[in-house]
Amino acid sequence: MYTILVYDTATERNAAVLRTCRKYLHHIQNSVFEGELSKAQLIHLQHELQHHTDPTYDDILVYTLPPGAVPHRHAWGTTNDKTSDII
Amino acid sequence: MYTILVYDTATERNAAVLRTCRKYLHHIQNSVFEGELSKAQLIHLQHELQHHTDPTYDDILVYTLPPGAVPHRHAWGTTNDKTSDII
């Protein structure tokens, strides 16, 4: 399913969050990732992020779309497609 | 169509961006808004934001979903539903 992730975490944890998200998704904007994930991958991503975040402080929002639905992305600013490789 | 907006703007412009987005969408996380918009509303929102942002510095990402598609939102952290009134 198509997934959009937005994180808002403490500065000292940003690098680990970024590294973890990059393993599963494309990096689109400073704090935004997107890509296609299976349910199993989503669960793995959640578990990995739990090791790197403080749920009482950090904030991670994940949108999953219905099967087959792919969003249209509009960039109203400086965003370039920072699409990075996915392992 | 269902719309998700993420902004990353200069601090001095955040208040105006926040105020503008709140007129059209629900405020979900610090920099994340979502809601149902018509094509006309989306264009109005874009025009209003152009008055309050610097496209060479600020970054606004907007995802629009196919008709009828509503995403599932997962909050892996402190996010509360900050849903605010829409005019």
Side-chain angles (χ1 to χ4, degrees):
Chain A
M1 63 208 142
Y2 210 85
T3 304
I4 298 166
L5 181 150
V6 187
Y7 73 88
D8 182 8
T9 55
T11 311
E12 65 269 26
R13 290 188 284 274
N14 283 348
V17 169
L18 200 77
R19 205 166 44 238
T20 303
C21 291
R22 271 195 174 135
K23 289 168 64 178
Y24 294 87
L25 296 163
H26 301 284
H27 191 198
I28 303 298
Q29 196 204 64
N30 285 343
S31 59
V32 183
F33 290 82
E34 62 173 80
E36 192 74 36
L37 288 186
S38 68
K39 204 161 185 173
Q41 286 173 313
L42 187 68
I43 291 167
H44 284 140
L45 173 57
Q46 182 177 19
H47 286 176
E48 279 197 49
L49 285 173
Q50 279 169 352
H51 289 292
H52 298 298
T53 53
D54 174 354
T56 66
Y57 184 91
D58 300 324
D59 213 355
I60 296 174
L61 263 185
V62 179
Y63 292 96
T64 52
L65 273 60
V70 175
H72 184 77
R73 182 189 344 124
H74 316 255
W76 296 348
T78 60
T79 295
N80 293 310
D81 195 334
K82 294 174 187 153
T83 300
S84 51
D85 289 332
I86 292 191
I87 59 163
Chain B
M1 63 206 142
Y2 210 86
T3 303
I4 299 166
L5 181 150
V6 187
Y7 74 88
D8 182 7
T9 54
T11 311
E12 64 270 26
R13 291 188 285 274
N14 283 348
V17 170
L18 199 76
R19 207 166 42 239
T20 303
C21 291
R22 271 197 174 134
K23 291 167 65 180
Y24 295 87
L25 296 163
H26 302 284
H27 190 199
I28 304 298
Q29 195 204 65
N30 285 342
S31 59
V32 183
F33 290 81
E34 62 173 82
E36 192 74 35
L37 289 186
S38 68
K39 206 161 184 173
Q41 287 174 313
L42 187 67
I43 290 167
H44 284 140
L45 173 57
Q46 182 177 17
H47 287 174
E48 280 199 48
L49 285 174
Q50 279 168 353
H51 290 291
H52 298 298
T53 52
D54 175 355
T56 66
Y57 184 91
D58 300 324
D59 212 355
I60 297 175
L61 262 186
V62 179
Y63 291 96
T64 52
L65 273 60
V70 175
H72 184 78
R73 182 185 349 120
H74 316 254
W76 295 349
T78 61
T79 295
N80 293 309
D81 195 334
K82 295 174 188 151
T83 300
S84 52
D85 288 333
I86 292 189
I87 58 163

